[in-house]
Amino acid sequence: MTSTPDGAFPWALPEYPSPALRVLAERTRRFVEEELVPHEVQAERNHGHLPQEIVDRVKRAAIDAKLNGGRHARAHGGQEWTAQQYVAVHEQLGRNTNGIWWWIPDGYNVLRSGTPGQIEKYLLPSLRGEASLSYAVTEAEAGSDPSGIATTAVRDGEGWLLNGEKWFVTSGDVAVAHIVVATTVEGVTLFIVPADAPGVSTVDDPPFTHSFPHGHPAIRFENVRLGADAVLGPIGGGGKLQNSWFTEERLGIAVHCVAAMNRLLEEAVAWATGRVQGGVRIYDHQGVSFPLADSAADAAAARLLVWDVAWHIDEGADPKIVHAKASLAKLFASEAANRCADRVLQVFGGRGYIRDYAAERFFREVRVDRIWEGTSEIQRVIVARSLERRGVTAVIG
């Protein structure tokens, strides 16, 4: 079941700063339409899961389209995208519901700070699609406040002894290893912990609102003995790596929200202009078209914020300014996407409440964008502090 007539709209790409970015976006759009969108309903009806042969096909197609390992070095099997290239690609990937794009081989940006051995063992297989890692940050009493992290790593001879419990560990159910944020005497430190290490256990794997390929289990680390080679990056330097990760993740969430709004609006306009009730198109009723116009304004503004962040990154702007701008973009885009999804679902009426329709799926999926990688409330705190410390013009200019 589809929500709009086949061929309702041709492939319409927005404007890009350069022809090369447009070519990259077009290649990604083709991948999304041919390799991801056709499997959305099947994924939804199977709680996010797809047959292994489809997963393997998605991985191969992504590698063939050079969409794997976007921000990682070519020497490691990545693409070395600029921030603007990253945005151009994810502006298309975010059109896909059910997170099928998660199967595109990639790796967390903090792995770039790994030792040659860690890169060889974990990053390279990830970029080839042979392994997945998780990032374990959140705890029962430490979510948006990283200073509350209770997971500890204490020196044990030449190695470490890790204890703690992490919640909402995205991809923790399929990961070969977990990147764990822990406190040490020297400060916050990242560790790479093999998923099968003695003392590592899954204590809960709850279902969530969206139907994505990977789960978000709770994982306990109980007297896990690690070698000195388990430390990722500098000892006590995890805070800086975390900020870099948060900035990229928040930019990614913001651009995916822009993409979601784009698809939602395309489908809503196609549906409303073709749906006749009482002898007139429902689009001709202001109660239908005006909310869509409001969401179009939201989407356009959010897109400008996202590209502004990417431009500042590529220009080598102050990381603290970039951090504030990424929070601003995530805050606005995630809130706007939720408004848009609600409005579009209403336009579809009863059909909008059926999971076979993208409007219903996005209605559930974009809700978490106001929560993960820092809630909207935390983004407001970051933006407000930045206005005071960096200046109004630096944040919004």
Side-chain angles (χ1 to χ4, degrees):
M1 187 183 297
T2 57
S3 51
T4 60
D6 288 340
F9 283 104
W11 282 9
L13 293 177
E15 295 297 323
Y16 291 96
S18 72
L21 286 172
R22 182 180 178 83
V23 169
L24 179 58
E26 186 174 8
R27 184 167 78 240
T28 309
R29 177 64 172 265
R30 185 177 299 109
F31 170 81
V32 170
E33 298 295 338
E34 295 177 358
E35 304 294 343
L36 303 184
V37 170
H39 304 300
E40 291 176 342
V41 173
Q42 182 180 6
E44 181 59 45
R45 293 195 171 205
N46 287 281
H47 309 289
H49 303 297
L50 289 169
Q52 189 59 47
E53 59 266 24
I54 294 179
V55 172
D56 292 340
R57 174 177 170 170
V58 168
K59 290 181 179 180
R60 288 195 303 272
I63 292 172
D64 290 343
K66 298 186 183 302
L67 298 177
N68 61 311
R71 298 299 309 275
H72 291 282
R74 291 190 182 92
H76 296 152
Q79 309 301 329
E80 281 190 29
W81 288 335
T82 64
Q84 291 176 80
Q85 288 175 312
Y86 171 87
V87 164
V89 167
H90 284 267
E91 220 173 20
Q92 299 303 321
L93 295 181
R95 295 174 57 85
N96 165 230
T97 67
N98 299 90
I100 301 172
W101 69 273
W102 281 18
W103 288 116
I104 296 175
D106 208 343
Y108 290 106
N109 68 353
V110 294
L111 287 171
R112 295 198 286 269
S113 298
T115 64
Q118 290 170 336
I119 289 173
E120 179 72 29
K121 186 174 182 179
Y122 296 112
L123 179 58
L124 271 58
S126 296
L127 302 189
R128 293 194 299 262
E130 299 167 1
S132 295
L133 272 70
S134 76
Y135 205 134
V137 182
T138 306
E139 299 178 2
E141 304 301 328
S144 296
D145 180 14
S147 66
I149 288 176
T151 297
T152 60
V154 298
R155 292 187 182 275
D156 179 41
E158 294 184 359
W160 300 84
L161 194 64
L162 181 72
N163 280 280
E165 184 174 304
K166 297 292 186 178
W167 285 27
F168 311 133
V169 182
T170 299
S171 302
D173 55 334
V174 298
V176 299
H178 310 293
I179 299 172
V180 181
V181 182
T183 58
T184 66
V185 171
E186 295 84 355
V188 174
T189 304
L190 305 187
F191 294 85
I192 301 181
V193 184
D196 59 356
V200 178
S201 62
T202 298
V203 294
D204 192 17
D205 192 5
F208 287 84
T209 301
H210 57 222
S211 301
F212 277 14
H214 304 168
H216 315 271
I219 298 178
R220 183 173 296 154
F221 304 91
E222 193 168 11
N223 292 323
V224 179
R225 296 187 180 278
L226 302 170
D229 59 351
V231 176
L232 176 60
I235 297 174
K240 185 175 181 180
L241 291 177
Q242 278 284 95
N243 282 339
S244 172
W245 176 71
F246 272 130
T247 297
E248 187 168 301
E249 290 292 304
R250 288 166 182 167
L251 175 61
I253 290 169
V255 70
H256 277 251
C257 286
V258 171
M261 285 188 278
N262 186 276
R263 183 174 173 191
L264 282 164
L265 286 169
E266 284 185 355
E267 299 221 358
V269 170
W271 170 256
T273 54
R275 176 71 166 169
V276 175
Q277 292 286 280
V280 297
R281 305 179 308 169
I282 64 172
Y283 192 79
D284 294 324
H285 296 291
Q286 292 178 353
V288 172
S289 58
F290 278 18
L292 298 182
D294 288 339
S295 282
D298 278 345
R303 185 170 191 257
L304 290 174
L305 287 172
V306 163
W307 279 91
D308 181 58
V309 176
W311 182 84
H312 276 81
I313 292 173
D314 289 342
E315 289 297 306
D318 182 345
K320 293 180 180 179
I321 298 297
V322 171
H323 183 249
K325 284 181 171 289
S327 289
L328 186 66
K330 179 188 183 293
L331 170 63
F332 183 82
S334 64
E335 296 283 340
N338 275 263
R339 293 192 296 269
C340 180
D342 183 66
R343 292 162 178 161
V344 169
L345 188 153
Q346 191 71 17
V347 167
F348 278 101
R351 289 172 175 80
Y353 208 59
I354 299 174
R355 292 195 174 200
D356 285 6
Y357 283 75
E360 190 280 340
R361 298 194 298 274
F362 273 126
F363 180 76
R364 286 179 289 112
E365 292 179 12
V366 299
R367 185 60 183 85
V368 74
D369 293 326
R370 293 163 57 193
I371 298 173
W372 56 10
E373 321 314 1
T375 63
S376 288
E377 290 70 29
I378 288 299
Q379 306 313 317
R380 291 183 175 100
V381 169
I382 293 170
V383 172
R385 287 177 177 172
S386 297
L387 290 172
E388 178 183 8
R389 297 172 181 175
R390 316 297 167 203
V392 173
T393 300
V395 175
I396 70 172

